[in-house]
Amino acid sequence: MLENFVVALGNVFDPVSFILMLVGVSAGILVGALPGLTATMALAILVPFTFTMPATTALMVLGGVYVGAIYGGCIAAILVNTPGTPSAIATTFDGYPLTKKGKAEHALVAAAYSSSVGGLIGAIILLLFSPLLANVALKFGHPEYFWLAIFGLTIIATLASKSIIKGLMGGALGLLLGTIGISPIGGDMRFTFGFWQLQAGLQLIVALIGFFCIPEIFNMVERTMEKTKINLFKHQKGVAWSVIKELNRKPMLLFRSAIIGAFVGIVPGAGGNIAALVSYNEAIRFSKTPEEFGKGTIDGVAAAEASNNSEVCGSLVPLLTLGIPGAAPAAVLLGALMLQGLRPGPELYTVFGEITYTFLISLIFANIALFFLGFYGSRFVARVINISPAYLAPIVVFMCVIGSYSIRNNMLDVYIMVLFGLIGYVTRKLGYHPGPIVLGLILGSIAENGLVQSMLMGKAQGNMIAMFFTRPISIVLIILCLISAAWPFISDKRQRKIEEMKKRLEGETHAN
Amino acid sequence: MRKVKLLGLCLLVLLLSMALVVGCSGTKDEGKAPEEGKDAPKEVTVDPNYPSSPITYLIPFDPGGQSDVEARRQQPLLEKILGTSVIVTYKAGGGGAVGWSELVNHKPDGYFMAGINVPHIILQPLSRDNAGYKTEQIEPVAFFQRTPVGLAVQKDSPFDTLEEFIEYAKANPGAVTVGGSGTFSGHHIAAIEFEALTGVTLTYVPFTGAAPQMQAFLGKHVAAVMANSDALVQYEDSMKILAFGGTERFEALPDVPTFIEKGYDMIPSIDRGVAVPPGTPEEYKKKLSDAFMEVANDENLRKQMIEQGFVPVAMDMNEAQAYLDEMTKTYTELLESLK
């Protein structure tokens, strides 16, 4: 292994490969920043160009694009409240409030730094433990997917901190929207209303653009009436470093988020969006100041971004060891590996060790490069918000239409995007956060698949209850679900107790 | 006042960009289901210099999948033979149904074709209320690749032969779980056909794709799989392949018997080909068919396919139509018998 390692290190520093990788990271960031263009699409377009390259160079470029694109999603999330890729949903929760406060640079630097750190931790995990972790991926069966999805749904309680009822209603709407299309078992058409295009179900990105972006355009329009503009972006010296210093004071936040990201990545079928949402939720739970989340705290941005970049490396674990992609973009990488004549499996670490280790080490450098590109780029990119709404709003409208159309070349998606935008605007005015709706949409199909598959399996085994409640990983997940669902009530009680104590103390001091 | 102006401007941009997108997509009648009698051949004047502009090659699946890999392999050769550029685009959804619905509604001008898969294009219209297209509307130009489907169990499974598997499944109806990709898909119909021929009852567990299917199989969450030949070749070391679809033994897996050898008359497979919209002139179809035949017979391409676990085939437009008709009949009867 050591021999391979040394050769691989040399390969990484091959000037042509290294520069191409940097170009890949930059291109990835750009693609990720544009809503509707995804990491999967960028990789698929690139794969044919890498045919003629040597295997190491090809994989370095593709790895760079993947890493860059997942990070790039945060830029649109922070500046215009629209996740550039689904992985950046959780980044909008605190990233955009920061921008509104005039702290766009804080948010962008926090995102760049935590993405890079998260990615590095993920890459190291991938480099050292992947064959070991591959077994974890295999242990995940249908009941585990079901419970994982249920666990994800308990996050609604946190997302909808103001009103749990409204959060649950939003989540239910999301679940309902997720049932549109062909049912996973039986193949029946559901809620297609005679449109054959709806057979394919709703596209997550289309829903994201609709729920997050269109209401924001309405806000821009409304703001033009008020004389007070939102805080203009001005580059301030020292801001960037102070953000990094602050994050360094909370190593556990980044570390925990990265571990969550890597784990979710290893489980095939759950992507960066789920990783970021779970890690955001845990960040609130462990925080000493949970009330600041959602109002613009760099901790929220850091939790989401560290985990979605660590998820990139996590998704490569089952890919390299078993040939099973952990996420959609990783599936495209599988195609690229096969075309280079590399068959995933133990051989990758022995016979093709040089190539594999070159790829893994290059991921570390891609994540470092990401930090510098993000750090120095952020002060230029952040100026986007200085553009007058009179120009910015129409540009964003244009991008929304192109983005939602290009995701699968379907005009119906554009109409759905506009419709969801209007619904999103109205529901937001009524106090419904789009987070739970989108969460329901993401997790609904995973939960449904897990449920019906488990029921089929349980029936075949003749013991339905054992199927759901006696498998070890399932038990752990069930316990997590219970804790997570009960948490808001526990923390509420704790909060009230603390306040009572404070009041009593104040009362005593007054009495004195 | 400014607010109204800006809102108006946004609305204008919205409409303009939508118009732009619609203009680029080049299809009319989107959203409308194909109506009876409307699909009579539309008049197209035959151009003797065909093809004179780029041809669109639609893949009804996600980029990076097997259909895409195949199209990308063919692309440079097709461009050389046809003397024009071939543009690969994607329209995924509904297991291919969204792309095929677009195909049958497209103008039959010879500049639009789409990848097709059997049995998908037969089973979807049979099993759905409105799949958006009918099997008869699809005019195949060629079939170029076959992916036989095989039945496999894990390496440490108690079953060593197909006979043992069938015997156990007969004694314990529904207790054996078989994983496959999709409902009313190639794997599902293979399982149905297997049940019909052997008289056993299995529990078919559908997955959302080949990746989760193989993950569940390797993790021992299902007892067996109906899997594609490429997956069988890839995971050969961790499974016992009990039987394989095909009229003869597979080059890459010479020790595995076929279903036919075992006395069950079934050749489950997934066939990839290409089709044009209904009403495309015969002259154009012939030209495309000839080009695909030349590509399908390319030695280098055939070798690559076999290595990856696929069977190269070369059926021209007439053979392809005959094959499609035959399979349609077989599967229609099979599904009828279940009702």
Side-chain angles (χ1 to χ4, degrees), chain A residues 44 48 137-142 145 182 184-187 189 194-197 199-200 217-218 221-222 224-225 268 322-325 338 343-344 389-390 393-394 397-398 401-402 405 408-411 414-415 418 449 453 456-457 460 471, chain B residues 2-3 6-7 9-10 13-14 17-18 20-22 25 30-33 63 69 72 90-94 97-98 101-102 105 128 130-132 174-175 177 183-184 203-208 211 214-215 218-219 221-222 233-235 237:
Chain A
L138 287 183
K139 289 265 156 48
F140 241 76
H142 338 285
Y145 277 106
I182 290 161
I185 310 286
M189 305 257 267
F195 291 99
W196 48 260
Q197 290 96 332
Q199 280 178 88
I217 293 165
F218 280 108
V221 173
E222 282 172 6
T224 54
M225 278 300 277
L322 305 165
I324 295 164
M338 301 292 262
R343 223 173 91 180
V397 170
F398 179 72
V401 173
I402 299 295
Y405 176 78
R408 55 183 183 195
N409 300 330
N410 202 331
M411 197 57 206
V414 180
Y415 302 135
V418 175
N449 265 312
Q453 284 168 349
L456 280 171
M457 300 284 300
R471 297 159 62 108
Chain B
R2 277 186 69 194
K3 191 169 159 183
L6 185 52
L7 196 64
L9 182 63
C10 286
V13 172
L14 179 74
S17 45
M18 275 186 179
L20 178 77
V21 166
V22 173
S25 71
E30 281 227 42
K32 279 184 213 154
V69 170
R72 295 284 178 188
Y90 310 93
K91 193 161 201 165
V98 176
S101 304
E102 162 129 4
N105 286 313
R128 296 178 193 172
N130 175 14
T177 49
T183 302
F184 290 111
T203 297
Y204 176 78
V205 183
F207 291 87
T208 45
M214 292 317 288
Q215 184 227 346
L218 295 176
H221 302 291
V222 287
V233 169
Q234 195 189 339
Y235 296 105
D237 303 334

Side-chain angles (χ1 to χ4, degrees), chain A residues 211-429:
Chain A
F211 281 125
F212 283 92
C213 200
I214 300 292
E216 211 40 60
I217 293 165
F218 280 108
N219 283 347
M220 279 184 210
V221 173
E222 282 172 6
R223 267 204 307 273
T224 54
M225 278 300 277
E226 301 156 16
K227 283 282 171 265
T228 49
K229 278 193 164 185
I230 64 158
N231 294 296
L232 282 181
F233 171 76
K234 242 190 250 157
H235 172 58
Q236 292 157 291
K237 273 209 169 122
V239 161
W241 287 111
S242 74
V243 168
I244 292 173
K245 264 185 212 151
E246 198 182 331
L247 287 176
N248 278 341
R249 274 201 292 275
K250 297 168 187 157
M252 270 318 286
L253 174 74
L254 294 180
F255 190 68
R256 183 180 55 237
S257 307
I259 298 290
I260 292 172
F263 175 75
V264 175
I266 289 167
V267 176
N273 41 24
I274 298 177
L277 285 164
V278 171
S279 135
Y280 181 79
N281 187 46
E282 297 311 307
I284 296 178
R285 199 188 314 242
F286 283 95
S287 171
K288 289 193 188 88
T289 51
E291 69 282 354
E292 281 178 16
F293 281 80
K295 292 173 194 151
T297 166
I298 58 167
D299 290 16
V301 175
E305 284 299 310
S307 75
N308 69 23
N309 265 64
S310 154
E311 186 267 351
V312 170
C313 294
S315 72
L316 296 176
V317 169
L319 176 79
L320 296 177
T321 48
L322 305 165
I324 295 164
V332 184
L333 278 181
L334 176 65
L337 280 173
M338 301 292 262
L339 285 166
Q340 293 282 357
L342 302 168
R343 223 173 91 180
E347 275 188 349
L348 273 190
Y349 292 86
T350 52
V351 183
F352 301 109
E354 270 178 46
I355 298 173
T356 309
Y357 283 110
T358 305
F359 177 48
L360 299 185
I361 294 170
S362 78
L363 285 174
I364 293 181
F365 286 97
N367 276 300
I368 295 173
L370 183 76
F371 170 69
F372 288 103
L373 287 168
F375 184 83
Y376 290 106
S378 63
R379 59 190 65 164
F380 299 105
V381 175
R383 287 177 212 279
V384 167
I385 55 169
N386 292 356
I387 302 172
S388 149
Y391 297 107
L392 190 59
I395 293 171
V396 176
V397 170
F398 179 72
M399 300 229 314
C400 286
V401 173
I402 299 295
S404 43
Y405 176 78
S406 62
I407 192 74
R408 55 183 183 195
N409 300 330
N410 202 331
M411 197 57 206
L412 192 69
D413 282 343
V414 180
Y415 302 135
I416 291 174
M417 182 271 293
V418 175
L419 180 70
F420 280 8
L422 295 175
I423 296 173
Y425 178 66
V426 175
T427 51
R428 199 174 280 197
K429 289 266 161 193

Side-chain angles (χ1 to χ4, degrees), chain A residues 125-146:
Chain A
I125 292 174
L126 173 67
L127 188 62
L128 299 181
F129 304 115
S130 50
L132 205 73
L133 288 170
N135 288 322
V136 177
L138 287 183
K139 289 265 156 48
F140 241 76
H142 338 285
E144 282 80 20
Y145 277 106
F146 173 69

